[in-house]
Amino acid sequence: MAGLTILASPLDIGGVKIRNRVFLAPMSGITDEPFRQRAHGHGAGLVVSEMVASGELAKGRAGCDLRIRHSGLPVHMVQLAGREAVHMAEGARIAAGEGADIIDINMGCPAKKVTGGYAGSALMRDLDHALSLIDAVVGAVSVPVTVKMRLGWDESALNATMLARRAEQAGVRMVTVHGRTRCQFYQGKADWRAIARVKQAVSIPVVANGDVGSPEEAAAILELSGADAVMVGRAHYGTPWVAGSIATAAAGANTQGIPFTPQELTDYVASHYEDMLSLYGIESGLRQARKHLGWYLDRHGPDVSAELRKRILTSFEPGEVVAALRRAFVDGAQSTGLRSAA
């Protein structure tokens, strides 16, 4: 595919070398340590932590340490969200102290619980305040700072170009643009052409995000946006190997570790499940893992009985869950769909 080969080349982000240009998007409650490790192992060039609330991090709130903990990968990138400059600066210092190589500022999350606190994409409604947060973070750490944004708050305020230009002037080393406004949430189709306006306005790398889930879509978004890299988010639900599969396709290689048989899939999902229990502990891990189990079943076991699915998603016994997964994928010979996102 024309234009796809660029994704196999390295990218420099403020002196940090990234092995290729296909990135795993930060997704709250999803891109935790076990998920990032899998995405990286499959070949994703860069993986980003789930969003961390800077105020909670600065105040030492329980659980934040797991979100910023270094997972041993070559590049550790932490995304911070918040509204207060003092908390953003302190959160950045804490993350850098824990080994973060890059700090990303969330100015794109559309969730009401985030925008309701005037953080995330709500910051695009007040660029002066947004810049005060950027200045605070850039001034607090020596590692590169990046920003993830949307096209704007709504169709009447498409100000991503202005924000990106001002962010670059403030010292930001890369911007990621999701091709929707906040008010669109995830409805409709991402406007890949609109990202091109941001690319033309700045000299730092621009990453295109939104509705990318295959090598063909990656090639198309590159062509229409002129971006330097792509970021893949929701296509990873139930398929942590998507970014890696795009990167390896760009390199003309085969993605590592994709489960192709029912037994391989069962082992893969069980391993992911067990890693989450190990990270969070049994009680919290059971709750955290259920959405992932649901996505694996949606993607790879659509014909699993309602009774068996309920057992997998509600059981409080890890051994029972793993046994039920084997019945769902192996005993039921649910082999269709294993390559759907590869």
Side-chain angles (χ1 to χ4, degrees):
M1 283 163 283
L4 191 63
T5 54
I6 188 176
L7 294 178
S9 62
L11 181 67
D12 184 289
I13 304 175
V16 178
K17 305 298 183 182
I18 310 301
R19 62 179 178 174
N20 67 57
R21 301 176 182 225
V22 187
F23 304 160
L24 169 69
M27 292 179 282
S28 184
I30 300 171
T31 55
D32 57 13
E33 184 176 311
F35 200 98
R36 297 196 306 274
Q37 288 176 329
R38 280 163 175 76
H40 180 269
H42 293 305
L46 181 65
V47 298
V48 190
S49 79
E50 53 186 318
M51 177 180 67
V52 184
S54 60
E56 294 184 1
L57 179 60
K59 295 173 183 177
R61 187 71 57 85
C64 289
D65 57 329
L66 293 181
R67 294 193 174 202
I68 67 168
R69 187 175 74 176
H70 201 299
S71 56
L73 299 178
V75 177
H76 182 42
M77 185 170 180
V78 172
Q79 186 187 69
L80 296 178
R83 173 74 180 179
E84 302 297 330
V86 63
H87 290 157
M88 290 293 287
E90 181 60 18
R93 281 190 286 266
I94 293 171
E98 290 294 322
D101 300 292
I102 304 172
I103 304 292
D104 186 63
I105 301 175
N106 185 316
M107 295 190 178
C109 180
K112 290 182 181 179
K113 67 179 181 180
V114 177
T115 60
Y118 302 103
S121 56
L123 293 168
M124 299 193 74
R125 305 182 77 177
D126 185 348
L127 295 194
D128 287 340
H129 186 71
L131 264 294
S132 73
L133 303 186
I134 291 172
D135 286 338
V137 174
V138 170
V141 295
S142 59
V143 301
V145 175
T146 64
V147 174
K148 189 171 189 292
M149 64 185 73
R150 288 197 163 215
L151 296 177
W153 179 259
D154 57 28
E155 291 294 330
S156 68
L158 300 176
N159 56 0
T161 298
M162 177 62 72
L163 175 56
R165 187 182 295 119
R166 293 183 65 179
E168 179 181 24
Q169 293 169 352
V172 163
R173 309 305 291 271
M174 182 182 79
V175 296
T176 299
V177 184
H178 183 114
R180 289 183 174 87
T181 66
R182 183 272 174 181
C183 290
Q184 285 181 277
F185 284 86
Y186 296 101
Q187 301 299 311
K189 176 69 176 174
D191 187 350
W192 296 343
R193 292 183 185 276
I195 300 172
R197 295 194 291 270
V198 178
K199 173 60 183 172
Q200 293 160 5
V202 298
S203 60
I204 55 177
V206 172
V207 183
N209 175 226
D211 296 340
V212 177
S214 69
E216 294 78 10
E217 289 166 340
I221 198 173
L222 283 180
E223 180 180 359
L224 294 175
S225 69
D228 302 281
V230 300
M231 181 172 279
V232 186
R234 292 171 297 143
H236 284 99
Y237 291 3
T239 47
W241 51 84
V242 173
S245 69
I246 295 172
T248 51
N254 294 320
T255 309
Q256 299 297 311
I258 294 181
F260 287 111
T261 69
Q263 183 61 59
E264 289 173 349
L265 177 63
T266 301
D267 292 342
Y268 186 98
V269 176
S271 174
H272 189 179
Y273 176 66
E274 289 161 358
D275 283 352
M276 292 190 72
L277 298 185
S278 177
L279 176 67
Y280 296 110
I282 298 296
E283 183 177 352
S284 178
L286 286 170
R287 296 194 305 271
Q288 298 279 355
R290 282 171 180 157
K291 56 180 170 289
H292 292 281
L293 296 177
W295 289 324
Y296 282 123
L297 290 169
D298 290 342
R299 180 82 72 167
H300 311 295
D303 298 324
V304 169
S305 70
E307 180 183 356
L308 184 54
R309 179 185 176 94
K310 181 179 179 180
R311 186 173 305 140
I312 292 169
L313 298 182
T314 62
S315 174
F316 290 94
E317 296 294 332
E320 182 180 3
V321 171
V322 173
L325 286 169
R326 296 191 184 281
R327 289 196 293 277
F329 294 126
V330 178
D331 296 347
Q334 298 292 335
S335 60
T336 59
L338 295 187
R339 294 184 177 217
S340 61

